[in-house]
Amino acid sequence: MNLFADLHDRAKELLEPAIHDYYAGGAADEFALADNENSFARLALLPRMLRGGPPPEPRVDLPGAPGAAPVLVAPTAFHRLAHPEGELATARAAAATGTVLISSMAATTAVDEVVAAAREVRSDAAVWFQLYLQPDPEVTARLVERAESAGCTALVVTVDSPVFGDHVRDRRNGFHDLPPGYEAANMRDLPGGPPGGTRDIEMSPEISWRHLEVLRATTALPVLLKGILHPDDAHLAVAQGVDGIIVSNHGGRQLDAAPAPIDVLPRITRAIGGTLPLLLDGGVRRGTDVVTALALGAEAVGIGRPVLWGLAADGEKGVREVLDRIGADVVRAMALCGVRGPDDLTANLVVPRGFGGLR
Ligand SMILES: Cc1cc2nc3c(=O)[nH]c(=O)nc-3n(C[C@H](O)[C@H](O)[C@H](O)COP(=O)(O)O)c2cc1C
Ligand SMILES: CCCCCCC(=O)C(=O)O
């Protein structure tokens, strides 16, 4: 049971089983997928009492997103498979709640339309563009131009996908391609693609820090890396001058042996905390999960699947419900912990659950 269980149930009723499985599934034995939520359940919060003060107002300053909610919409692919309005519905709901939307390169709606939908609702809505670096730098450059001219305020480069994870459910269901009538709309009219058609997204083990250097030389937008788990990579990211890190195991969809992000966050915070913004995603399902991640060094967190469940259950209204629920739950969790906002959250509020009472 979590804050979104009813929306997941409704989404499961409405979605084609193979599409539900694509969204819900993880890689291989789904150990990482399960661990993402279970690791939060293994942590407890030590609340402070009688602190006085106004109700918490959780807002954070992020690259290209001042005063944002501390919960972001993580990039997820193919929203039109969940609802006919797809990414447009997600964008409107995110904008209405002051939530940063990280729009996936694998969206079924082009990024300029996504940003326009968000900005119709709120003129300063922050949309970041998620990017898989492509082996052909010309293709990457064209995608970056698209994101820039759409008005995205940051780029999120996903670095955990040198190959696609082994999605066992998709194999079993024969779900390998987008069904007819859908396209990865950002991949239209790119070099090497079919004339007037969409190019495949390539995941390639060739991609290295050198590609990132080239990218950073071609854009003035802040660049965050998504999918860092090893503290040594966090050091390298700092040395490269990136603008932020999202600690993530891709929702358990890539390396199944990867640890839960919340379990490695303290090491990454110790390694590089304070030098650049750290974000986290994977398994965040309650306000207390958000508070735990912020206490352990994250500035903000992303949620992936719950947004898809809201979208499938009730379009824009359903996504809004998800973002409103988690927003209110964060305020409640902070108030119950006796903190006024993210700045009051420190690692000594977090203890292992069942930590031994008087010991
Ligand atoms: C159906 C689905 C599609 C995803 N597509 C992308 C994507 O296009 N790009 C990306 O960087 N991450 C993608 N992710 C990973 C999410 O950004 C995020 O890391 C993960 O969903 C967070 O975990 P959660 O779903 O437990 O909240 C996807 C995840 C799911 C479930
Ligand atoms: C080769 C298709 C790329 C789609 C990527 C979507 C994704 O990241 C996922 O986890 O699914």
Side-chain angles (χ1 to χ4, degrees):
M1 181 59 88
N2 64 56
L3 202 54
F4 311 111
D6 57 328
L7 293 170
H8 186 181
D9 289 347
R10 182 76 188 124
K12 196 170 177 181
E13 276 166 26
L14 293 170
L15 289 169
E16 291 278 333
I19 291 172
H20 169 266
D21 271 359
Y22 167 67
Y23 289 155
D29 292 314
E30 301 191 338
F31 290 142
L33 172 66
D35 213 27
N36 285 356
E37 289 186 34
N38 291 340
S39 290
F40 278 109
R42 286 193 287 267
L43 296 172
L45 289 163
L46 269 181
R48 301 295 309 274
M49 304 300 161
L50 298 172
R51 306 292 294 280
E57 275 196 54
R59 291 274 147 191
V60 291
D61 288 330
L62 298 173
V71 180
L72 287 67
V73 175
T76 50
F78 311 147
H79 287 197
R80 282 189 200 262
L81 297 181
H83 188 274
E85 289 176 25
E87 289 83 2
L88 298 178
T90 311
R92 291 185 191 113
T97 52
T99 303
V100 177
L101 166 65
I102 311 179
S103 195
S104 170
M105 171 167 154
T108 38
T109 310
V111 65
D112 55 318
E113 294 172 49
V114 173
V115 177
R119 299 267 162 84
E120 265 168 35
V121 174
R122 182 186 289 245
S123 59
D124 62 350
V127 180
W128 297 354
F129 183 68
Q130 177 269 326
L131 181 68
Y132 291 106
L133 291 167
Q134 296 297 285
D136 178 351
E138 190 52 36
V139 176
T140 305
R142 293 279 295 278
L143 287 161
V144 170
E145 272 167 35
R146 281 179 185 178
E148 286 175 338
S149 62
C152 291
T153 57
L155 298 175
V156 172
V157 176
T158 299
V159 294
D160 56 20
S161 305
V163 294
F164 200 46
D166 178 19
H167 293 198
V168 176
R169 298 197 206 197
D170 295 347
R171 269 200 281 126
R172 199 180 53 208
N173 294 330
F175 185 77
H176 302 301
D177 289 311
L178 275 172
Y182 298 91
E183 60 165 349
N186 293 311
M187 302 305 288
R188 264 182 224 148
D189 301 323
L190 288 172
T198 56
R199 197 185 199 285
D200 284 344
I201 294 174
E202 285 183 69
M203 292 183 170
S204 166
E206 270 177 47
I207 302 300
S208 72
W209 293 99
R210 176 73 197 129
H211 290 79
L212 187 70
E213 238 174 80
V214 171
L215 169 79
R216 291 197 55 253
T218 60
T219 184
L221 287 178
V223 172
L224 294 90
L225 299 188
K226 173 174 181 284
I228 296 285
L229 290 169
H230 199 298
D232 290 353
D233 282 337
H235 280 300
L236 289 171
V238 172
Q240 276 263 338
V242 303
D243 301 280
I245 287 177
I246 306 181
V247 181
S248 169
N249 64 15
H250 209 112
R253 294 164 73 81
Q254 288 295 103
L255 177 69
D256 194 30
I262 195 63
D263 288 335
V264 292
L265 179 64
R267 289 174 198 220
I268 302 219
T269 303
R270 274 198 300 278
I272 58 138
T275 52
L276 45 70
L278 291 179
L279 289 80
L280 168 145
D281 72 29
V284 174
R285 299 293 180 266
R286 289 202 172 271
T288 44
D289 299 341
V290 180
V291 166
T292 301
L294 268 51
L296 293 179
E299 307 275 329
V301 302
I303 53 172
R305 293 179 183 83
V307 170
L308 296 169
W309 306 146
L311 181 64
D314 204 6
E316 177 183 342
K317 208 161 145 246
V319 178
R320 179 94 194 239
E321 175 69 23
V322 167
L323 298 175
D324 284 343
R325 274 193 207 177
I326 189 91
D329 210 41
V330 170
V331 171
R332 178 168 31 240
M334 285 188 176
L336 287 169
C337 286
V339 299
R340 289 184 201 154
D343 290 347
D344 283 351
L345 289 167
T346 47
N348 63 3
L349 293 177
V350 183
V351 291
R353 185 167 286 288
F355 67 114
L358 295 176
R359 263 186 290 137

PDB file of all heavy atoms in Angstrom, residues 21-23 25-28 30 163-176 203 250-254 305:
ATOM      1  N   ASP A  21       2.498  -3.552 -18.036  1.00  0.00           N
ATOM      2  CA  ASP A  21       3.743  -4.239 -17.682  1.00  0.00           C
ATOM      3  C   ASP A  21       4.971  -3.430 -18.095  1.00  0.00           C
ATOM      4  O   ASP A  21       5.984  -3.419 -17.388  1.00  0.00           O
ATOM      5  CB  ASP A  21       3.810  -5.612 -18.357  1.00  0.00           C
ATOM      6  CG  ASP A  21       3.166  -6.698 -17.497  1.00  0.00           C
ATOM      7  OD1 ASP A  21       2.695  -6.385 -16.383  1.00  0.00           O
ATOM      8  OD2 ASP A  21       3.147  -7.867 -17.945  1.00  0.00           O
ATOM      9  N   TYR A  22       4.896  -2.775 -19.261  1.00  0.00           N
ATOM     10  CA  TYR A  22       6.032  -1.933 -19.687  1.00  0.00           C
ATOM     11  C   TYR A  22       6.287  -0.846 -18.647  1.00  0.00           C
ATOM     12  O   TYR A  22       7.433  -0.587 -18.254  1.00  0.00           O
ATOM     13  CB  TYR A  22       5.774  -1.324 -21.071  1.00  0.00           C
ATOM     14  CG  TYR A  22       6.756  -0.215 -21.382  1.00  0.00           C
ATOM     15  CD1 TYR A  22       8.117  -0.498 -21.561  1.00  0.00           C
ATOM     16  CD2 TYR A  22       6.347   1.120 -21.426  1.00  0.00           C
ATOM     17  CE1 TYR A  22       9.033   0.521 -21.789  1.00  0.00           C
ATOM     18  CE2 TYR A  22       7.257   2.144 -21.654  1.00  0.00           C
ATOM     19  CZ  TYR A  22       8.594   1.842 -21.834  1.00  0.00           C
ATOM     20  OH  TYR A  22       9.506   2.854 -22.037  1.00  0.00           O
ATOM     21  N   TYR A  23       5.217  -0.200 -18.180  1.00  0.00           N
ATOM     22  CA  TYR A  23       5.379   0.864 -17.187  1.00  0.00           C
ATOM     23  C   TYR A  23       5.817   0.308 -15.820  1.00  0.00           C
ATOM     24  O   TYR A  23       6.683   0.859 -15.155  1.00  0.00           O
ATOM     25  CB  TYR A  23       4.052   1.616 -16.995  1.00  0.00           C
ATOM     26  CG  TYR A  23       3.610   2.503 -18.144  1.00  0.00           C
ATOM     27  CD1 TYR A  23       2.253   2.806 -18.315  1.00  0.00           C
ATOM     28  CD2 TYR A  23       4.521   3.071 -19.035  1.00  0.00           C
ATOM     29  CE1 TYR A  23       1.819   3.644 -19.338  1.00  0.00           C
ATOM     30  CE2 TYR A  23       4.091   3.900 -20.073  1.00  0.00           C
ATOM     31  CZ  TYR A  23       2.738   4.175 -20.215  1.00  0.00           C
ATOM     32  OH  TYR A  23       2.308   5.008 -21.225  1.00  0.00           O
ATOM     33  N   GLY A  25       7.165  -2.603 -14.949  1.00  0.00           N
ATOM     34  CA  GLY A  25       8.226  -3.594 -14.834  1.00  0.00           C
ATOM     35  C   GLY A  25       9.605  -3.024 -14.542  1.00  0.00           C
ATOM     36  O   GLY A  25       9.862  -1.838 -14.678  1.00  0.00           O
ATOM     37  N   GLY A  26      10.477  -3.940 -14.130  1.00  0.00           N
ATOM     38  CA  GLY A  26      11.891  -3.621 -13.949  1.00  0.00           C
ATOM     39  C   GLY A  26      12.710  -4.580 -14.784  1.00  0.00           C
ATOM     40  O   GLY A  26      12.171  -5.325 -15.609  1.00  0.00           O
ATOM     41  N   ALA A  27      14.008  -4.587 -14.553  1.00  0.00           N
ATOM     42  CA  ALA A  27      14.898  -5.464 -15.313  1.00  0.00           C
ATOM     43  C   ALA A  27      15.044  -6.808 -14.595  1.00  0.00           C
ATOM     44  O   ALA A  27      14.927  -6.894 -13.366  1.00  0.00           O
ATOM     45  CB  ALA A  27      16.272  -4.823 -15.462  1.00  0.00           C
ATOM     46  N   ALA A  28      15.264  -7.827 -15.388  1.00  0.00           N
ATOM     47  CA  ALA A  28      15.662  -9.159 -14.909  1.00  0.00           C
ATOM     48  C   ALA A  28      14.725  -9.675 -13.815  1.00  0.00           C
ATOM     49  O   ALA A  28      13.517  -9.805 -14.032  1.00  0.00           O
ATOM     50  CB  ALA A  28      17.123  -9.123 -14.467  1.00  0.00           C
ATOM     51  N   GLU A  30      13.844  -8.186 -11.159  1.00  0.00           N
ATOM     52  CA  GLU A  30      13.171  -7.041 -10.520  1.00  0.00           C
ATOM     53  C   GLU A  30      13.573  -6.887  -9.046  1.00  0.00           C
ATOM     54  O   GLU A  30      12.793  -6.407  -8.228  1.00  0.00           O
ATOM     55  CB  GLU A  30      11.640  -7.125 -10.702  1.00  0.00           C
ATOM     56  CG  GLU A  30      11.252  -7.150 -12.180  1.00  0.00           C
ATOM     57  CD  GLU A  30       9.771  -6.964 -12.461  1.00  0.00           C
ATOM     58  OE1 GLU A  30       8.948  -7.211 -11.559  1.00  0.00           O
ATOM     59  OE2 GLU A  30       9.446  -6.569 -13.606  1.00  0.00           O
ATOM     60  N   VAL A 163      23.321   0.100 -22.710  1.00  0.00           N
ATOM     61  CA  VAL A 163      22.434  -0.810 -23.451  1.00  0.00           C
ATOM     62  C   VAL A 163      21.092  -0.752 -22.717  1.00  0.00           C
ATOM     63  O   VAL A 163      21.016  -0.264 -21.594  1.00  0.00           O
ATOM     64  CB  VAL A 163      22.930  -2.282 -23.475  1.00  0.00           C
ATOM     65  CG1 VAL A 163      24.220  -2.426 -24.250  1.00  0.00           C
ATOM     66  CG2 VAL A 163      23.100  -2.831 -22.057  1.00  0.00           C
ATOM     67  N   PHE A 164      20.060  -1.262 -23.370  1.00  0.00           N
ATOM     68  CA  PHE A 164      18.736  -1.290 -22.733  1.00  0.00           C
ATOM     69  C   PHE A 164      18.713  -2.449 -21.734  1.00  0.00           C
ATOM     70  O   PHE A 164      19.230  -3.531 -22.018  1.00  0.00           O
ATOM     71  CB  PHE A 164      17.694  -1.490 -23.837  1.00  0.00           C
ATOM     72  CG  PHE A 164      16.290  -1.076 -23.458  1.00  0.00           C
ATOM     73  CD1 PHE A 164      16.048   0.141 -22.819  1.00  0.00           C
ATOM     74  CD2 PHE A 164      15.210  -1.884 -23.763  1.00  0.00           C
ATOM     75  CE1 PHE A 164      14.755   0.541 -22.489  1.00  0.00           C
ATOM     76  CE2 PHE A 164      13.905  -1.500 -23.441  1.00  0.00           C
ATOM     77  CZ  PHE A 164      13.689  -0.280 -22.797  1.00  0.00           C
ATOM     78  N   GLY A 165      18.132  -2.239 -20.555  1.00  0.00           N
ATOM     79  CA  GLY A 165      18.027  -3.318 -19.570  1.00  0.00           C
ATOM     80  C   GLY A 165      17.193  -4.486 -20.098  1.00  0.00           C
ATOM     81  O   GLY A 165      16.447  -4.349 -21.068  1.00  0.00           O
ATOM     82  N   ASP A 166      17.320  -5.625 -19.425  1.00  0.00           N
ATOM     83  CA  ASP A 166      16.597  -6.832 -19.853  1.00  0.00           C
ATOM     84  C   ASP A 166      15.192  -6.801 -19.247  1.00  0.00           C
ATOM     85  O   ASP A 166      14.973  -7.253 -18.119  1.00  0.00           O
ATOM     86  CB  ASP A 166      17.377  -8.067 -19.371  1.00  0.00           C
ATOM     87  CG  ASP A 166      16.648  -9.352 -19.745  1.00  0.00           C
ATOM     88  OD1 ASP A 166      15.784  -9.318 -20.652  1.00  0.00           O
ATOM     89  OD2 ASP A 166      16.933 -10.392 -19.118  1.00  0.00           O
ATOM     90  N   HIS A 167      14.248  -6.246 -20.010  1.00  0.00           N
ATOM     91  CA  HIS A 167      12.867  -6.123 -19.517  1.00  0.00           C
ATOM     92  C   HIS A 167      12.122  -7.429 -19.800  1.00  0.00           C
ATOM     93  O   HIS A 167      11.566  -7.623 -20.881  1.00  0.00           O
ATOM     94  CB  HIS A 167      12.163  -4.947 -20.185  1.00  0.00           C
ATOM     95  CG  HIS A 167      12.717  -3.604 -19.802  1.00  0.00           C
ATOM     96  ND1 HIS A 167      12.048  -2.427 -19.989  1.00  0.00           N
ATOM     97  CD2 HIS A 167      13.886  -3.258 -19.207  1.00  0.00           C
ATOM     98  CE1 HIS A 167      12.780  -1.421 -19.551  1.00  0.00           C
ATOM     99  NE2 HIS A 167      13.904  -1.900 -19.073  1.00  0.00           N
ATOM    100  N   VAL A 168      12.128  -8.296 -18.792  1.00  0.00           N
ATOM    101  CA  VAL A 168      11.604  -9.652 -18.989  1.00  0.00           C
ATOM    102  C   VAL A 168      10.108  -9.626 -19.323  1.00  0.00           C
ATOM    103  O   VAL A 168       9.632 -10.358 -20.193  1.00  0.00           O
ATOM    104  CB  VAL A 168      11.879 -10.501 -17.727  1.00  0.00           C
ATOM    105  CG1 VAL A 168      11.252 -11.878 -17.857  1.00  0.00           C
ATOM    106  CG2 VAL A 168      13.377 -10.612 -17.483  1.00  0.00           C
ATOM    107  N   ARG A 169       9.392  -8.721 -18.648  1.00  0.00           N
ATOM    108  CA  ARG A 169       7.941  -8.683 -18.912  1.00  0.00           C
ATOM    109  C   ARG A 169       7.683  -8.330 -20.377  1.00  0.00           C
ATOM    110  O   ARG A 169       6.769  -8.879 -20.997  1.00  0.00           O
ATOM    111  CB  ARG A 169       7.257  -7.625 -18.034  1.00  0.00           C
ATOM    112  CG  ARG A 169       7.360  -7.868 -16.555  1.00  0.00           C
ATOM    113  CD  ARG A 169       6.320  -7.006 -15.850  1.00  0.00           C
ATOM    114  NE  ARG A 169       6.708  -6.688 -14.495  1.00  0.00           N
ATOM    115  CZ  ARG A 169       5.861  -6.248 -13.577  1.00  0.00           C
ATOM    116  NH1 ARG A 169       4.589  -6.063 -13.846  1.00  0.00           N
ATOM    117  NH2 ARG A 169       6.284  -5.961 -12.360  1.00  0.00           N
ATOM    118  N   ASP A 170       8.474  -7.389 -20.912  1.00  0.00           N
ATOM    119  CA  ASP A 170       8.263  -6.971 -22.310  1.00  0.00           C
ATOM    120  C   ASP A 170       8.568  -8.121 -23.265  1.00  0.00           C
ATOM    121  O   ASP A 170       7.870  -8.325 -24.268  1.00  0.00           O
ATOM    122  CB  ASP A 170       9.134  -5.760 -22.670  1.00  0.00           C
ATOM    123  CG  ASP A 170       8.762  -4.517 -21.875  1.00  0.00           C
ATOM    124  OD1 ASP A 170       7.695  -4.524 -21.234  1.00  0.00           O
ATOM    125  OD2 ASP A 170       9.539  -3.545 -21.892  1.00  0.00           O
ATOM    126  N   ARG A 171       9.637  -8.850 -22.944  1.00  0.00           N
ATOM    127  CA  ARG A 171       9.972 -10.018 -23.795  1.00  0.00           C
ATOM    128  C   ARG A 171       8.823 -11.003 -23.805  1.00  0.00           C
ATOM    129  O   ARG A 171       8.389 -11.499 -24.832  1.00  0.00           O
ATOM    130  CB  ARG A 171      11.227 -10.713 -23.251  1.00  0.00           C
ATOM    131  CG  ARG A 171      12.503 -10.188 -23.868  1.00  0.00           C
ATOM    132  CD  ARG A 171      13.627 -11.186 -23.702  1.00  0.00           C
ATOM    133  NE  ARG A 171      14.225 -11.179 -22.382  1.00  0.00           N
ATOM    134  CZ  ARG A 171      14.366 -12.226 -21.612  1.00  0.00           C
ATOM    135  NH1 ARG A 171      13.921 -13.418 -21.982  1.00  0.00           N
ATOM    136  NH2 ARG A 171      14.964 -12.133 -20.444  1.00  0.00           N
ATOM    137  N   ARG A 172       8.308 -11.273 -22.578  1.00  0.00           N
ATOM    138  CA  ARG A 172       7.220 -12.244 -22.444  1.00  0.00           C
ATOM    139  C   ARG A 172       5.978 -11.776 -23.208  1.00  0.00           C
ATOM    140  O   ARG A 172       5.270 -12.568 -23.829  1.00  0.00           O
ATOM    141  CB  ARG A 172       6.909 -12.383 -20.951  1.00  0.00           C
ATOM    142  CG  ARG A 172       6.149 -13.612 -20.548  1.00  0.00           C
ATOM    143  CD  ARG A 172       5.915 -13.612 -19.040  1.00  0.00           C
ATOM    144  NE  ARG A 172       5.300 -12.381 -18.582  1.00  0.00           N
ATOM    145  CZ  ARG A 172       5.446 -11.862 -17.366  1.00  0.00           C
ATOM    146  NH1 ARG A 172       6.214 -12.440 -16.473  1.00  0.00           N
ATOM    147  NH2 ARG A 172       4.828 -10.754 -17.023  1.00  0.00           N
ATOM    148  N   ASN A 173       5.735 -10.465 -23.188  1.00  0.00           N
ATOM    149  CA  ASN A 173       4.537  -9.921 -23.824  1.00  0.00           C
ATOM    150  C   ASN A 173       4.745  -9.595 -25.298  1.00  0.00           C
ATOM    151  O   ASN A 173       3.816  -9.116 -25.952  1.00  0.00           O
ATOM    152  CB  ASN A 173       4.110  -8.620 -23.118  1.00  0.00           C
ATOM    153  CG  ASN A 173       3.648  -8.858 -21.690  1.00  0.00           C
ATOM    154  OD1 ASN A 173       3.131  -9.926 -21.374  1.00  0.00           O
ATOM    155  ND2 ASN A 173       3.837  -7.882 -20.814  1.00  0.00           N
ATOM    156  N   GLY A 174       5.972  -9.780 -25.794  1.00  0.00           N
ATOM    157  CA  GLY A 174       6.261  -9.403 -27.185  1.00  0.00           C
ATOM    158  C   GLY A 174       6.120  -7.909 -27.411  1.00  0.00           C
ATOM    159  O   GLY A 174       5.793  -7.455 -28.509  1.00  0.00           O
ATOM    160  N   PHE A 175       6.400  -7.098 -26.373  1.00  0.00           N
ATOM    161  CA  PHE A 175       6.264  -5.641 -26.482  1.00  0.00           C
ATOM    162  C   PHE A 175       7.648  -5.054 -26.790  1.00  0.00           C
ATOM    163  O   PHE A 175       8.433  -4.788 -25.887  1.00  0.00           O
ATOM    164  CB  PHE A 175       5.705  -5.081 -25.166  1.00  0.00           C
ATOM    165  CG  PHE A 175       5.407  -3.601 -25.213  1.00  0.00           C
ATOM    166  CD1 PHE A 175       4.272  -3.120 -25.853  1.00  0.00           C
ATOM    167  CD2 PHE A 175       6.264  -2.680 -24.627  1.00  0.00           C
ATOM    168  CE1 PHE A 175       4.002  -1.757 -25.906  1.00  0.00           C
ATOM    169  CE2 PHE A 175       5.993  -1.325 -24.671  1.00  0.00           C
ATOM    170  CZ  PHE A 175       4.865  -0.866 -25.304  1.00  0.00           C
ATOM    171  N   HIS A 176       7.938  -4.867 -28.083  1.00  0.00           N
ATOM    172  CA  HIS A 176       9.290  -4.421 -28.462  1.00  0.00           C
ATOM    173  C   HIS A 176       9.294  -3.042 -29.081  1.00  0.00           C
ATOM    174  O   HIS A 176      10.299  -2.364 -29.069  1.00  0.00           O
ATOM    175  CB  HIS A 176       9.922  -5.414 -29.461  1.00  0.00           C
ATOM    176  CG  HIS A 176      10.007  -6.793 -28.903  1.00  0.00           C
ATOM    177  ND1 HIS A 176      10.696  -7.072 -27.738  1.00  0.00           N
ATOM    178  CD2 HIS A 176       9.478  -7.975 -29.317  1.00  0.00           C
ATOM    179  CE1 HIS A 176      10.591  -8.366 -27.476  1.00  0.00           C
ATOM    180  NE2 HIS A 176       9.845  -8.929 -28.411  1.00  0.00           N
ATOM    181  N   MET A 203      21.053   3.406 -27.798  1.00  0.00           N
ATOM    182  CA  MET A 203      21.757   3.277 -26.525  1.00  0.00           C
ATOM    183  C   MET A 203      23.075   2.622 -26.874  1.00  0.00           C
ATOM    184  O   MET A 203      23.081   1.564 -27.521  1.00  0.00           O
ATOM    185  CB  MET A 203      20.960   2.434 -25.553  1.00  0.00           C
ATOM    186  CG  MET A 203      19.690   3.140 -25.136  1.00  0.00           C
ATOM    187  SD  MET A 203      18.772   2.230 -23.922  1.00  0.00           S
ATOM    188  CE  MET A 203      17.547   3.454 -23.469  1.00  0.00           C
ATOM    189  N   HIS A 250      17.337   4.121 -12.464  1.00  0.00           N
ATOM    190  CA  HIS A 250      16.395   4.066 -13.583  1.00  0.00           C
ATOM    191  C   HIS A 250      15.123   3.293 -13.188  1.00  0.00           C
ATOM    192  O   HIS A 250      14.557   2.550 -13.991  1.00  0.00           O
ATOM    193  CB  HIS A 250      17.073   3.428 -14.802  1.00  0.00           C
ATOM    194  CG  HIS A 250      16.559   3.889 -16.135  1.00  0.00           C
ATOM    195  ND1 HIS A 250      17.314   4.642 -17.010  1.00  0.00           N
ATOM    196  CD2 HIS A 250      15.380   3.699 -16.765  1.00  0.00           C
ATOM    197  CE1 HIS A 250      16.615   4.867 -18.114  1.00  0.00           C
ATOM    198  NE2 HIS A 250      15.432   4.312 -17.990  1.00  0.00           N
ATOM    199  N   GLY A 251      14.733   3.449 -11.933  1.00  0.00           N
ATOM    200  CA  GLY A 251      13.529   2.745 -11.481  1.00  0.00           C
ATOM    201  C   GLY A 251      13.690   1.233 -11.556  1.00  0.00           C
ATOM    202  O   GLY A 251      12.701   0.509 -11.754  1.00  0.00           O
ATOM    203  N   GLY A 252      14.947   0.744 -11.369  1.00  0.00           N
ATOM    204  CA  GLY A 252      15.188  -0.707 -11.399  1.00  0.00           C
ATOM    205  C   GLY A 252      15.040  -1.309 -12.783  1.00  0.00           C
ATOM    206  O   GLY A 252      14.801  -2.520 -12.908  1.00  0.00           O
ATOM    207  N   ARG A 253      15.223  -0.505 -13.829  1.00  0.00           N
ATOM    208  CA  ARG A 253      14.978  -1.003 -15.194  1.00  0.00           C
ATOM    209  C   ARG A 253      16.262  -1.251 -15.974  1.00  0.00           C
ATOM    210  O   ARG A 253      16.206  -1.677 -17.119  1.00  0.00           O
ATOM    211  CB  ARG A 253      14.123   0.014 -15.961  1.00  0.00           C
ATOM    212  CG  ARG A 253      12.752   0.150 -15.385  1.00  0.00           C
ATOM    213  CD  ARG A 253      12.047   1.399 -15.865  1.00  0.00           C
ATOM    214  NE  ARG A 253      11.579   1.380 -17.232  1.00  0.00           N
ATOM    215  CZ  ARG A 253      10.453   0.810 -17.644  1.00  0.00           C
ATOM    216  NH1 ARG A 253       9.690   0.170 -16.775  1.00  0.00           N
ATOM    217  NH2 ARG A 253      10.074   0.870 -18.905  1.00  0.00           N
ATOM    218  N   GLN A 254      17.428  -0.972 -15.358  1.00  0.00           N
ATOM    219  CA  GLN A 254      18.675  -1.168 -16.090  1.00  0.00           C
ATOM    220  C   GLN A 254      19.471  -2.307 -15.416  1.00  0.00           C
ATOM    221  O   GLN A 254      19.199  -3.452 -15.658  1.00  0.00           O
ATOM    222  CB  GLN A 254      19.426   0.166 -16.183  1.00  0.00           C
ATOM    223  CG  GLN A 254      18.738   1.154 -17.152  1.00  0.00           C
ATOM    224  CD  GLN A 254      18.765   0.622 -18.590  1.00  0.00           C
ATOM    225  OE1 GLN A 254      17.783   0.121 -19.114  1.00  0.00           O
ATOM    226  NE2 GLN A 254      19.920   0.711 -19.237  1.00  0.00           N
ATOM    227  N   ARG A 305       6.736   6.245 -11.905  1.00  0.00           N
ATOM    228  CA  ARG A 305       5.519   5.458 -12.156  1.00  0.00           C
ATOM    229  C   ARG A 305       4.241   6.087 -11.602  1.00  0.00           C
ATOM    230  O   ARG A 305       3.198   6.023 -12.264  1.00  0.00           O
ATOM    231  CB  ARG A 305       5.702   4.030 -11.633  1.00  0.00           C
ATOM    232  CG  ARG A 305       6.764   3.253 -12.436  1.00  0.00           C
ATOM    233  CD  ARG A 305       6.964   1.863 -11.896  1.00  0.00           C
ATOM    234  NE  ARG A 305       8.011   1.126 -12.591  1.00  0.00           N
ATOM    235  CZ  ARG A 305       9.306   1.219 -12.329  1.00  0.00           C
ATOM    236  NH1 ARG A 305       9.730   2.044 -11.367  1.00  0.00           N
ATOM    237  NH2 ARG A 305      10.188   0.515 -13.005  1.00  0.00           N
TER     238      ARG A 305
END
